[in-house]
Amino acid sequence: MDDNPINEFDEARCLQLLATGSLGRLFFNDTATTEIYTINYVLSREGKLYFRTAEGGKLSELSVH
């Protein structure tokens, strides 16, 4: 029995799991902090993941810096 709690999935399995939902968490980690954001997302037929953020919001600021 494997005691490792971490599972590794290939890209196809990740996309299959993402396709079953629309709510997720996005993690950012730098040397000082880890930030976690709840996001609503949609997965396109091409396998691209889209989510929206507002100008001036925390996610918007992270993409700039």
Side-chain angles (χ1 to χ4, degrees):
M1 180 177 196
D2 187 3
D3 292 331
N4 186 354
I6 298 173
N7 296 309
E8 292 187 37
F9 300 124
D10 62 16
E11 183 177 349
R13 179 66 175 141
C14 290
L15 291 173
Q16 181 184 34
L17 290 169
L18 285 167
T20 65
S22 62
L23 181 68
R25 291 185 179 84
L26 189 60
F27 291 75
F28 288 93
N29 188 18
D30 63 21
T31 56
T33 62
T34 299
E35 298 197 38
I36 305 168
Y37 300 96
T38 301
I39 60 168
N40 292 302
Y41 69 87
V42 64
L43 184 66
S44 74
R45 288 190 176 127
E46 296 79 28
K48 294 183 181 188
L49 191 66
Y50 293 94
F51 62 93
R52 182 174 54 179
T53 183
E55 185 176 338
K58 288 183 180 182
L59 287 174
S60 177
E61 284 296 315
L62 288 170
S63 67
V64 172
H65 301 291

